[in-house]
Amino acid sequence: MNWLKRLLHLEEQEPVEKPEPEPPILELCPICGRRPKAKYVVRDITVDRHYWLEKAVWQLSEWCDHAAIISSFAPLFEDEDVQKWNTGCRLLRTMINVPVPECPACGEKPVVQPDSESDIPQLVCSCNELLGNEGITNVYQRKREWIRRCMALKRKQDNLKELEQLIERESE
């Protein structure tokens, strides 16, 4: 019956626009406190030479200066901008809040020294057991690498102690 009414009245059906979904919640940058802007975009994704799909995603714009640092903390497999931003912010925030541990080899707190090869400062202790910062691009990754190496060295020392205890038990 509606089609007949439209035909008789020569009414054109108004196009129905899908309402834009609610924008996602974005984390604040842990360094400067800025938040990027989200824009809803429909992309064409080519599946085959003859077929494509439309995918609606939230694209981020107006990044802060620390976007590269934040994305370096996000996992590589995440392809959505919003997920990558939020995950990177959370991981960077935890890295900032973790205190720098002492070197397990010498027991000293590290000091900050300029790196001779790059402009990024490095953490150094007197025994130089934990050096080796090649390929690290920012200070937050250097801190993460120091913590990772401290934990690995501590684990190695714990394993040696356990092995020594096992040998002592067997020799008795």
PDB file of all heavy atoms in Angstrom, residues 41-72:
ATOM      1  N   VAL A  41      35.704   6.935   9.292  1.00  0.00           N
ATOM      2  CA  VAL A  41      36.020   6.837   7.868  1.00  0.00           C
ATOM      3  C   VAL A  41      35.594   5.462   7.355  1.00  0.00           C
ATOM      4  O   VAL A  41      35.765   4.454   8.044  1.00  0.00           O
ATOM      5  CB  VAL A  41      37.548   7.005   7.639  1.00  0.00           C
ATOM      6  CG1 VAL A  41      37.906   6.853   6.184  1.00  0.00           C
ATOM      7  CG2 VAL A  41      38.010   8.341   8.152  1.00  0.00           C
ATOM      8  N   VAL A  42      35.060   5.431   6.140  1.00  0.00           N
ATOM      9  CA  VAL A  42      34.734   4.169   5.482  1.00  0.00           C
ATOM     10  C   VAL A  42      35.788   3.941   4.410  1.00  0.00           C
ATOM     11  O   VAL A  42      35.970   4.762   3.513  1.00  0.00           O
ATOM     12  CB  VAL A  42      33.323   4.206   4.862  1.00  0.00           C
ATOM     13  CG1 VAL A  42      33.029   2.904   4.129  1.00  0.00           C
ATOM     14  CG2 VAL A  42      32.282   4.471   5.928  1.00  0.00           C
ATOM     15  N   ARG A  43      36.501   2.819   4.525  1.00  0.00           N
ATOM     16  CA  ARG A  43      37.574   2.495   3.577  1.00  0.00           C
ATOM     17  C   ARG A  43      37.155   1.335   2.693  1.00  0.00           C
ATOM     18  O   ARG A  43      36.412   0.457   3.098  1.00  0.00           O
ATOM     19  CB  ARG A  43      38.829   2.050   4.325  1.00  0.00           C
ATOM     20  CG  ARG A  43      39.533   3.095   5.082  1.00  0.00           C
ATOM     21  CD  ARG A  43      40.825   2.495   5.593  1.00  0.00           C
ATOM     22  NE  ARG A  43      41.360   3.276   6.670  1.00  0.00           N
ATOM     23  CZ  ARG A  43      42.202   2.830   7.573  1.00  0.00           C
ATOM     24  NH1 ARG A  43      42.615   1.589   7.531  1.00  0.00           N
ATOM     25  NH2 ARG A  43      42.653   3.602   8.521  1.00  0.00           N
ATOM     26  N   ASP A  44      37.671   1.332   1.476  1.00  0.00           N
ATOM     27  CA  ASP A  44      37.512   0.186   0.596  1.00  0.00           C
ATOM     28  C   ASP A  44      38.735  -0.701   0.759  1.00  0.00           C
ATOM     29  O   ASP A  44      39.864  -0.248   0.596  1.00  0.00           O
ATOM     30  CB  ASP A  44      37.408   0.620  -0.869  1.00  0.00           C
ATOM     31  CG  ASP A  44      36.093   1.321  -1.156  1.00  0.00           C
ATOM     32  OD1 ASP A  44      35.111   1.031  -0.441  1.00  0.00           O
ATOM     33  OD2 ASP A  44      36.045   2.143  -2.088  1.00  0.00           O
ATOM     34  N   ILE A  45      38.488  -1.964   1.083  1.00  0.00           N
ATOM     35  CA  ILE A  45      39.573  -2.921   1.243  1.00  0.00           C
ATOM     36  C   ILE A  45      39.478  -3.912   0.093  1.00  0.00           C
ATOM     37  O   ILE A  45      38.447  -4.571  -0.096  1.00  0.00           O
ATOM     38  CB  ILE A  45      39.477  -3.651   2.592  1.00  0.00           C
ATOM     39  CG1 ILE A  45      39.550  -2.640   3.720  1.00  0.00           C
ATOM     40  CG2 ILE A  45      40.551  -4.712   2.707  1.00  0.00           C
ATOM     41  CD1 ILE A  45      39.290  -3.223   5.069  1.00  0.00           C
ATOM     42  N   THR A  46      40.527  -4.015  -0.697  1.00  0.00           N
ATOM     43  CA  THR A  46      40.536  -4.924  -1.834  1.00  0.00           C
ATOM     44  C   THR A  46      40.808  -6.338  -1.351  1.00  0.00           C
ATOM     45  O   THR A  46      41.831  -6.608  -0.734  1.00  0.00           O
ATOM     46  CB  THR A  46      41.619  -4.498  -2.857  1.00  0.00           C
ATOM     47  OG1 THR A  46      41.391  -3.148  -3.217  1.00  0.00           O
ATOM     48  CG2 THR A  46      41.572  -5.392  -4.081  1.00  0.00           C
ATOM     49  N   VAL A  47      39.880  -7.229  -1.633  1.00  0.00           N
ATOM     50  CA  VAL A  47      40.029  -8.625  -1.259  1.00  0.00           C
ATOM     51  C   VAL A  47      40.662  -9.397  -2.413  1.00  0.00           C
ATOM     52  O   VAL A  47      41.550 -10.210  -2.226  1.00  0.00           O
ATOM     53  CB  VAL A  47      38.657  -9.241  -0.892  1.00  0.00           C
ATOM     54  CG1 VAL A  47      38.796 -10.717  -0.567  1.00  0.00           C
ATOM     55  CG2 VAL A  47      38.035  -8.480   0.251  1.00  0.00           C
ATOM     56  N   ASP A  48      40.198  -9.118  -3.579  1.00  0.00           N
ATOM     57  CA  ASP A  48      40.691  -9.753  -4.795  1.00  0.00           C
ATOM     58  C   ASP A  48      40.728  -8.664  -5.861  1.00  0.00           C
ATOM     59  O   ASP A  48      40.334  -7.530  -5.615  1.00  0.00           O
ATOM     60  CB  ASP A  48      39.727 -10.884  -5.173  1.00  0.00           C
ATOM     61  CG  ASP A  48      40.293 -11.828  -6.204  1.00  0.00           C
ATOM     62  OD1 ASP A  48      41.456 -11.654  -6.581  1.00  0.00           O
ATOM     63  OD2 ASP A  48      39.564 -12.755  -6.618  1.00  0.00           O
ATOM     64  N   ARG A  49      41.165  -9.005  -7.055  1.00  0.00           N
ATOM     65  CA  ARG A  49      41.193  -7.969  -8.092  1.00  0.00           C
ATOM     66  C   ARG A  49      39.798  -7.478  -8.437  1.00  0.00           C
ATOM     67  O   ARG A  49      39.602  -6.349  -8.847  1.00  0.00           O
ATOM     68  CB  ARG A  49      41.854  -8.512  -9.360  1.00  0.00           C
ATOM     69  CG  ARG A  49      43.327  -8.618  -9.253  1.00  0.00           C
ATOM     70  CD  ARG A  49      43.940  -8.885 -10.569  1.00  0.00           C
ATOM     71  NE  ARG A  49      43.420 -10.145 -11.129  1.00  0.00           N
ATOM     72  CZ  ARG A  49      43.868 -10.713 -12.220  1.00  0.00           C
ATOM     73  NH1 ARG A  49      44.832 -10.151 -12.894  1.00  0.00           N
ATOM     74  NH2 ARG A  49      43.363 -11.832 -12.649  1.00  0.00           N
ATOM     75  N   HIS A  50      38.789  -8.326  -8.252  1.00  0.00           N
ATOM     76  CA  HIS A  50      37.440  -7.973  -8.674  1.00  0.00           C
ATOM     77  C   HIS A  50      36.490  -7.706  -7.522  1.00  0.00           C
ATOM     78  O   HIS A  50      35.361  -7.297  -7.725  1.00  0.00           O
ATOM     79  CB  HIS A  50      36.871  -9.102  -9.541  1.00  0.00           C
ATOM     80  CG  HIS A  50      37.747  -9.448 -10.691  1.00  0.00           C
ATOM     81  ND1 HIS A  50      37.943  -8.609 -11.762  1.00  0.00           N
ATOM     82  CD2 HIS A  50      38.533 -10.519 -10.924  1.00  0.00           C
ATOM     83  CE1 HIS A  50      38.777  -9.158 -12.611  1.00  0.00           C
ATOM     84  NE2 HIS A  50      39.155 -10.331 -12.126  1.00  0.00           N
ATOM     85  N   TYR A  51      36.919  -7.966  -6.311  1.00  0.00           N
ATOM     86  CA  TYR A  51      36.047  -7.796  -5.156  1.00  0.00           C
ATOM     87  C   TYR A  51      36.689  -6.877  -4.130  1.00  0.00           C
ATOM     88  O   TYR A  51      37.896  -6.884  -3.960  1.00  0.00           O
ATOM     89  CB  TYR A  51      35.775  -9.155  -4.488  1.00  0.00           C
ATOM     90  CG  TYR A  51      35.122 -10.145  -5.420  1.00  0.00           C
ATOM     91  CD1 TYR A  51      35.873 -11.162  -6.007  1.00  0.00           C
ATOM     92  CD2 TYR A  51      33.768 -10.071  -5.707  1.00  0.00           C
ATOM     93  CE1 TYR A  51      35.289 -12.066  -6.868  1.00  0.00           C
ATOM     94  CE2 TYR A  51      33.181 -10.977  -6.561  1.00  0.00           C
ATOM     95  CZ  TYR A  51      33.946 -11.969  -7.139  1.00  0.00           C
ATOM     96  OH  TYR A  51      33.363 -12.852  -7.991  1.00  0.00           O
ATOM     97  N   TRP A  52      35.856  -6.108  -3.463  1.00  0.00           N
ATOM     98  CA  TRP A  52      36.342  -5.278  -2.371  1.00  0.00           C
ATOM     99  C   TRP A  52      35.257  -5.174  -1.305  1.00  0.00           C
ATOM    100  O   TRP A  52      34.090  -5.420  -1.557  1.00  0.00           O
ATOM    101  CB  TRP A  52      36.775  -3.902  -2.856  1.00  0.00           C
ATOM    102  CG  TRP A  52      35.675  -3.041  -3.378  1.00  0.00           C
ATOM    103  CD1 TRP A  52      34.892  -2.196  -2.676  1.00  0.00           C
ATOM    104  CD2 TRP A  52      35.227  -2.970  -4.723  1.00  0.00           C
ATOM    105  NE1 TRP A  52      33.977  -1.590  -3.486  1.00  0.00           N
ATOM    106  CE2 TRP A  52      34.159  -2.050  -4.761  1.00  0.00           C
ATOM    107  CE3 TRP A  52      35.597  -3.578  -5.903  1.00  0.00           C
ATOM    108  CZ2 TRP A  52      33.483  -1.744  -5.920  1.00  0.00           C
ATOM    109  CZ3 TRP A  52      34.929  -3.264  -7.057  1.00  0.00           C
ATOM    110  CH2 TRP A  52      33.883  -2.357  -7.052  1.00  0.00           C
ATOM    111  N   LEU A  53      35.687  -4.849  -0.136  1.00  0.00           N
ATOM    112  CA  LEU A  53      34.782  -4.674   0.992  1.00  0.00           C
ATOM    113  C   LEU A  53      34.887  -3.260   1.510  1.00  0.00           C
ATOM    114  O   LEU A  53      35.923  -2.621   1.377  1.00  0.00           O
ATOM    115  CB  LEU A  53      35.159  -5.625   2.131  1.00  0.00           C
ATOM    116  CG  LEU A  53      35.054  -7.108   1.865  1.00  0.00           C
ATOM    117  CD1 LEU A  53      35.656  -7.879   3.030  1.00  0.00           C
ATOM    118  CD2 LEU A  53      33.618  -7.512   1.671  1.00  0.00           C
ATOM    119  N   GLU A  54      33.832  -2.800   2.103  1.00  0.00           N
ATOM    120  CA  GLU A  54      33.879  -1.512   2.792  1.00  0.00           C
ATOM    121  C   GLU A  54      34.040  -1.787   4.267  1.00  0.00           C
ATOM    122  O   GLU A  54      33.326  -2.609   4.833  1.00  0.00           O
ATOM    123  CB  GLU A  54      32.602  -0.714   2.537  1.00  0.00           C
ATOM    124  CG  GLU A  54      32.521  -0.110   1.180  1.00  0.00           C
ATOM    125  CD  GLU A  54      31.308   0.802   1.045  1.00  0.00           C
ATOM    126  OE1 GLU A  54      30.442   0.799   1.943  1.00  0.00           O
ATOM    127  OE2 GLU A  54      31.234   1.504   0.040  1.00  0.00           O
ATOM    128  N   LYS A  55      34.994  -1.110   4.889  1.00  0.00           N
ATOM    129  CA  LYS A  55      35.225  -1.281   6.317  1.00  0.00           C
ATOM    130  C   LYS A  55      35.208   0.104   6.962  1.00  0.00           C
ATOM    131  O   LYS A  55      35.934   1.001   6.539  1.00  0.00           O
ATOM    132  CB  LYS A  55      36.569  -1.958   6.555  1.00  0.00           C
ATOM    133  CG  LYS A  55      36.856  -2.211   8.005  1.00  0.00           C
ATOM    134  CD  LYS A  55      38.175  -2.915   8.195  1.00  0.00           C
ATOM    135  CE  LYS A  55      38.435  -3.124   9.661  1.00  0.00           C
ATOM    136  NZ  LYS A  55      39.739  -3.691   9.915  1.00  0.00           N
ATOM    137  N   ALA A  56      34.382   0.242   7.965  1.00  0.00           N
ATOM    138  CA  ALA A  56      34.292   1.513   8.681  1.00  0.00           C
ATOM    139  C   ALA A  56      35.229   1.458   9.883  1.00  0.00           C
ATOM    140  O   ALA A  56      35.176   0.520  10.667  1.00  0.00           O
ATOM    141  CB  ALA A  56      32.864   1.764   9.134  1.00  0.00           C
ATOM    142  N   VAL A  57      36.108   2.445   9.972  1.00  0.00           N
ATOM    143  CA  VAL A  57      37.079   2.494  11.066  1.00  0.00           C
ATOM    144  C   VAL A  57      37.171   3.916  11.607  1.00  0.00           C
ATOM    145  O   VAL A  57      36.781   4.876  10.955  1.00  0.00           O
ATOM    146  CB  VAL A  57      38.488   2.042  10.603  1.00  0.00           C
ATOM    147  CG1 VAL A  57      38.496   0.584  10.215  1.00  0.00           C
ATOM    148  CG2 VAL A  57      39.005   2.912   9.479  1.00  0.00           C
ATOM    149  N   TRP A  58      37.731   4.001  12.808  1.00  0.00           N
ATOM    150  CA  TRP A  58      38.034   5.304  13.395  1.00  0.00           C
ATOM    151  C   TRP A  58      39.492   5.603  13.089  1.00  0.00           C
ATOM    152  O   TRP A  58      40.373   4.842  13.446  1.00  0.00           O
ATOM    153  CB  TRP A  58      37.798   5.291  14.898  1.00  0.00           C
ATOM    154  CG  TRP A  58      36.354   5.324  15.244  1.00  0.00           C
ATOM    155  CD1 TRP A  58      35.557   4.273  15.542  1.00  0.00           C
ATOM    156  CD2 TRP A  58      35.522   6.478  15.298  1.00  0.00           C
ATOM    157  NE1 TRP A  58      34.283   4.693  15.785  1.00  0.00           N
ATOM    158  CE2 TRP A  58      34.229   6.040  15.648  1.00  0.00           C
ATOM    159  CE3 TRP A  58      35.728   7.836  15.084  1.00  0.00           C
ATOM    160  CZ2 TRP A  58      33.158   6.918  15.792  1.00  0.00           C
ATOM    161  CZ3 TRP A  58      34.659   8.705  15.234  1.00  0.00           C
ATOM    162  CH2 TRP A  58      33.399   8.248  15.582  1.00  0.00           C
ATOM    163  N   GLN A  59      39.720   6.701  12.406  1.00  0.00           N
ATOM    164  CA  GLN A  59      41.069   7.121  12.054  1.00  0.00           C
ATOM    165  C   GLN A  59      41.459   8.282  12.962  1.00  0.00           C
ATOM    166  O   GLN A  59      40.643   9.160  13.240  1.00  0.00           O
ATOM    167  CB  GLN A  59      41.081   7.560  10.596  1.00  0.00           C
ATOM    168  CG  GLN A  59      42.405   7.530   9.939  1.00  0.00           C
ATOM    169  CD  GLN A  59      42.245   7.777   8.438  1.00  0.00           C
ATOM    170  OE1 GLN A  59      41.372   8.525   8.010  1.00  0.00           O
ATOM    171  NE2 GLN A  59      43.079   7.145   7.652  1.00  0.00           N
ATOM    172  N   LEU A  60      42.693   8.284  13.422  1.00  0.00           N
ATOM    173  CA  LEU A  60      43.144   9.326  14.337  1.00  0.00           C
ATOM    174  C   LEU A  60      43.907  10.407  13.577  1.00  0.00           C
ATOM    175  O   LEU A  60      44.649  10.119  12.643  1.00  0.00           O
ATOM    176  CB  LEU A  60      44.027   8.726  15.428  1.00  0.00           C
ATOM    177  CG  LEU A  60      43.363   7.658  16.289  1.00  0.00           C
ATOM    178  CD1 LEU A  60      44.344   7.148  17.331  1.00  0.00           C
ATOM    179  CD2 LEU A  60      42.119   8.180  16.948  1.00  0.00           C
ATOM    180  N   SER A  61      43.733  11.639  14.026  1.00  0.00           N
ATOM    181  CA  SER A  61      44.457  12.766  13.440  1.00  0.00           C
ATOM    182  C   SER A  61      44.843  13.723  14.555  1.00  0.00           C
ATOM    183  O   SER A  61      44.410  13.577  15.693  1.00  0.00           O
ATOM    184  CB  SER A  61      43.595  13.473  12.390  1.00  0.00           C
ATOM    185  OG  SER A  61      42.439  14.008  12.999  1.00  0.00           O
ATOM    186  N   GLU A  62      45.637  14.693  14.217  1.00  0.00           N
ATOM    187  CA  GLU A  62      46.142  15.692  15.169  1.00  0.00           C
ATOM    188  C   GLU A  62      46.842  15.014  16.342  1.00  0.00           C
ATOM    189  O   GLU A  62      46.507  15.230  17.501  1.00  0.00           O
ATOM    190  CB  GLU A  62      45.013  16.607  15.658  1.00  0.00           C
ATOM    191  CG  GLU A  62      44.408  17.440  14.555  1.00  0.00           C
ATOM    192  CD  GLU A  62      43.353  18.402  15.061  1.00  0.00           C
ATOM    193  OE1 GLU A  62      43.431  18.803  16.238  1.00  0.00           O
ATOM    194  OE2 GLU A  62      42.465  18.742  14.276  1.00  0.00           O
ATOM    195  N   TRP A  63      47.808  14.182  16.000  1.00  0.00           N
ATOM    196  CA  TRP A  63      48.602  13.482  17.004  1.00  0.00           C
ATOM    197  C   TRP A  63      49.470  14.469  17.772  1.00  0.00           C
ATOM    198  O   TRP A  63      49.768  15.552  17.289  1.00  0.00           O
ATOM    199  CB  TRP A  63      49.541  12.485  16.333  1.00  0.00           C
ATOM    200  CG  TRP A  63      48.897  11.512  15.416  1.00  0.00           C
ATOM    201  CD1 TRP A  63      48.559  11.716  14.110  1.00  0.00           C
ATOM    202  CD2 TRP A  63      48.504  10.190  15.717  1.00  0.00           C
ATOM    203  NE1 TRP A  63      47.989  10.596  13.587  1.00  0.00           N
ATOM    204  CE2 TRP A  63      47.949   9.635  14.550  1.00  0.00           C
ATOM    205  CE3 TRP A  63      48.579   9.410  16.852  1.00  0.00           C
ATOM    206  CZ2 TRP A  63      47.473   8.341  14.495  1.00  0.00           C
ATOM    207  CZ3 TRP A  63      48.106   8.118  16.786  1.00  0.00           C
ATOM    208  CH2 TRP A  63      47.555   7.605  15.631  1.00  0.00           C
ATOM    209  N   CYS A  64      49.929  14.055  18.933  1.00  0.00           N
ATOM    210  CA  CYS A  64      50.913  14.863  19.653  1.00  0.00           C
ATOM    211  C   CYS A  64      52.308  14.471  19.149  1.00  0.00           C
ATOM    212  O   CYS A  64      52.457  13.577  18.320  1.00  0.00           O
ATOM    213  CB  CYS A  64      50.796  14.643  21.161  1.00  0.00           C
ATOM    214  SG  CYS A  64      51.233  13.007  21.725  1.00  0.00           S
ATOM    215  N   ASP A  65      53.334  15.126  19.666  1.00  0.00           N
ATOM    216  CA  ASP A  65      54.700  14.856  19.205  1.00  0.00           C
ATOM    217  C   ASP A  65      55.221  13.495  19.653  1.00  0.00           C
ATOM    218  O   ASP A  65      56.246  13.040  19.179  1.00  0.00           O
ATOM    219  CB  ASP A  65      55.645  15.943  19.735  1.00  0.00           C
ATOM    220  CG  ASP A  65      55.313  17.302  19.152  1.00  0.00           C
ATOM    221  OD1 ASP A  65      54.676  17.357  18.070  1.00  0.00           O
ATOM    222  OD2 ASP A  65      55.676  18.315  19.769  1.00  0.00           O
ATOM    223  N   HIS A  66      54.536  12.839  20.571  1.00  0.00           N
ATOM    224  CA  HIS A  66      55.006  11.575  21.127  1.00  0.00           C
ATOM    225  C   HIS A  66      54.340  10.363  20.498  1.00  0.00           C
ATOM    226  O   HIS A  66      54.434   9.256  21.026  1.00  0.00           O
ATOM    227  CB  HIS A  66      54.772  11.575  22.646  1.00  0.00           C
ATOM    228  CG  HIS A  66      55.321  12.790  23.296  1.00  0.00           C
ATOM    229  ND1 HIS A  66      54.518  13.806  23.754  1.00  0.00           N
ATOM    230  CD2 HIS A  66      56.594  13.180  23.532  1.00  0.00           C
ATOM    231  CE1 HIS A  66      55.271  14.764  24.258  1.00  0.00           C
ATOM    232  NE2 HIS A  66      56.531  14.414  24.142  1.00  0.00           N
ATOM    233  N   ALA A  67      53.663  10.546  19.368  1.00  0.00           N
ATOM    234  CA  ALA A  67      52.945   9.440  18.727  1.00  0.00           C
ATOM    235  C   ALA A  67      53.888   8.316  18.310  1.00  0.00           C
ATOM    236  O   ALA A  67      53.543   7.139  18.436  1.00  0.00           O
ATOM    237  CB  ALA A  67      52.175   9.951  17.514  1.00  0.00           C
ATOM    238  N   ALA A  68      55.080   8.644  17.853  1.00  0.00           N
ATOM    239  CA  ALA A  68      56.034   7.605  17.454  1.00  0.00           C
ATOM    240  C   ALA A  68      56.493   6.791  18.659  1.00  0.00           C
ATOM    241  O   ALA A  68      56.647   5.568  18.572  1.00  0.00           O
ATOM    242  CB  ALA A  68      57.232   8.234  16.755  1.00  0.00           C
ATOM    243  N   ILE A  69      56.695   7.453  19.783  1.00  0.00           N
ATOM    244  CA  ILE A  69      57.097   6.743  21.004  1.00  0.00           C
ATOM    245  C   ILE A  69      55.972   5.826  21.466  1.00  0.00           C
ATOM    246  O   ILE A  69      56.201   4.666  21.813  1.00  0.00           O
ATOM    247  CB  ILE A  69      57.464   7.753  22.112  1.00  0.00           C
ATOM    248  CG1 ILE A  69      58.700   8.545  21.709  1.00  0.00           C
ATOM    249  CG2 ILE A  69      57.687   7.049  23.443  1.00  0.00           C
ATOM    250  CD1 ILE A  69      59.017   9.701  22.625  1.00  0.00           C
ATOM    251  N   ILE A  70      54.749   6.326  21.435  1.00  0.00           N
ATOM    252  CA  ILE A  70      53.601   5.533  21.870  1.00  0.00           C
ATOM    253  C   ILE A  70      53.403   4.333  20.953  1.00  0.00           C
ATOM    254  O   ILE A  70      53.180   3.217  21.422  1.00  0.00           O
ATOM    255  CB  ILE A  70      52.342   6.412  21.944  1.00  0.00           C
ATOM    256  CG1 ILE A  70      52.483   7.403  23.097  1.00  0.00           C
ATOM    257  CG2 ILE A  70      51.078   5.578  22.103  1.00  0.00           C
ATOM    258  CD1 ILE A  70      51.471   8.500  23.123  1.00  0.00           C
ATOM    259  N   SER A  71      53.518   4.535  19.653  1.00  0.00           N
ATOM    260  CA  SER A  71      53.332   3.406  18.730  1.00  0.00           C
ATOM    261  C   SER A  71      54.463   2.395  18.844  1.00  0.00           C
ATOM    262  O   SER A  71      54.271   1.225  18.524  1.00  0.00           O
ATOM    263  CB  SER A  71      53.184   3.901  17.292  1.00  0.00           C
ATOM    264  OG  SER A  71      54.362   4.521  16.861  1.00  0.00           O
ATOM    265  N   SER A  72      55.651   2.817  19.311  1.00  0.00           N
ATOM    266  CA  SER A  72      56.735   1.848  19.491  1.00  0.00           C
ATOM    267  C   SER A  72      56.456   0.911  20.669  1.00  0.00           C
ATOM    268  O   SER A  72      57.030  -0.166  20.744  1.00  0.00           O
ATOM    269  CB  SER A  72      58.071   2.565  19.691  1.00  0.00           C
ATOM    270  OG  SER A  72      58.123   3.181  20.962  1.00  0.00           O
TER     271      SER A  72
END
